[in-house]
Amino acid sequence: WLKPLLAQANSAPATATGARHYTRSLGPRPPGSTMGISRDSRHKHRKTGGRRNIHQKKRKFEMGRPAALCKLGHRRVRPVRGRGGNMKFRALRIDAGSFSWGSEHCAMKTRILDVVYNATSNELVRTKTLTKNSIVQIDAQPFKQWYLKKYGVDLGKKAKGDKKAEEKAEKTEEAEKKSRHVIAKLKARAAKQKLEPLIEDQFQSGRLLAAIASRPGQSGACDGYILEAEELVFYKKKLEKKKKA
């Protein structure tokens, strides 16, 4: 069927209009082949390998949208109208979120500093893309302040022998005068409290490893939780393995 068309194109003068006529004369596209992201299965082959005849066009309810690919940066969120008038909030850039510390039953809003691991692809780490279950580094300062207020223990303090740090701690203690009742209460809390060595080391560096639990491209928020126990050990091993490679 193509030979007569090619012969017609060759015989016609080589002008822009002729070329346009030739492309049009190839005929209309088959139904349902217009461009766009669709979530239908009509275009797929049968399980036996046979082709399906497309008997209807694409439907609005089968429509898909491009991936948000939310990056680390100054907050930029766009509203998107969904089916039934429901709204989605497409985060294109985001730099902070609410992260919970499970064992301590507290949640704080803090800055996201870096993306360090993603099970899907290293490309998402290189481009600092925030997706659900991405492993990120967050600022430890809000949690340090909370811990100091509740237990009276400064997690960022280095080991004894650092004179500058000791002097600074003494000055802060003098500035904040506490009653004997409050001091006794803090000591009682601190006596019962045990902190994982891995988390304590992270507080020294000022960065905590956390996992994103929300979907930034759908909810417009980047919330998650601090990694602890076996999960923290698992991802620490992954990061060490990545460094060696």
Side-chain angles (χ1 to χ4, degrees), residues 15-30:
T15 59
T17 52
R20 201 184 300 128
H21 174 74
Y22 165 62
T23 51
R24 282 179 183 169
S25 65
L26 288 174
R29 286 178 177 173

Side-chain angles (χ1 to χ4, degrees), residues 48-78:
T48 53
R51 287 188 65 183
R52 286 180 184 168
N53 292 325
I54 297 171
H55 66 284
Q56 67 180 41
K57 291 184 178 180
K58 293 182 179 182
R59 299 288 186 255
K60 181 73 187 271
F61 57 78
E62 293 168 345
M63 183 185 74
R65 295 187 187 90
L69 298 174
C70 177
K71 300 284 193 296
L72 187 62
H74 186 67
R75 183 180 164 84
R76 191 189 299 168
V77 178
R78 299 286 179 269

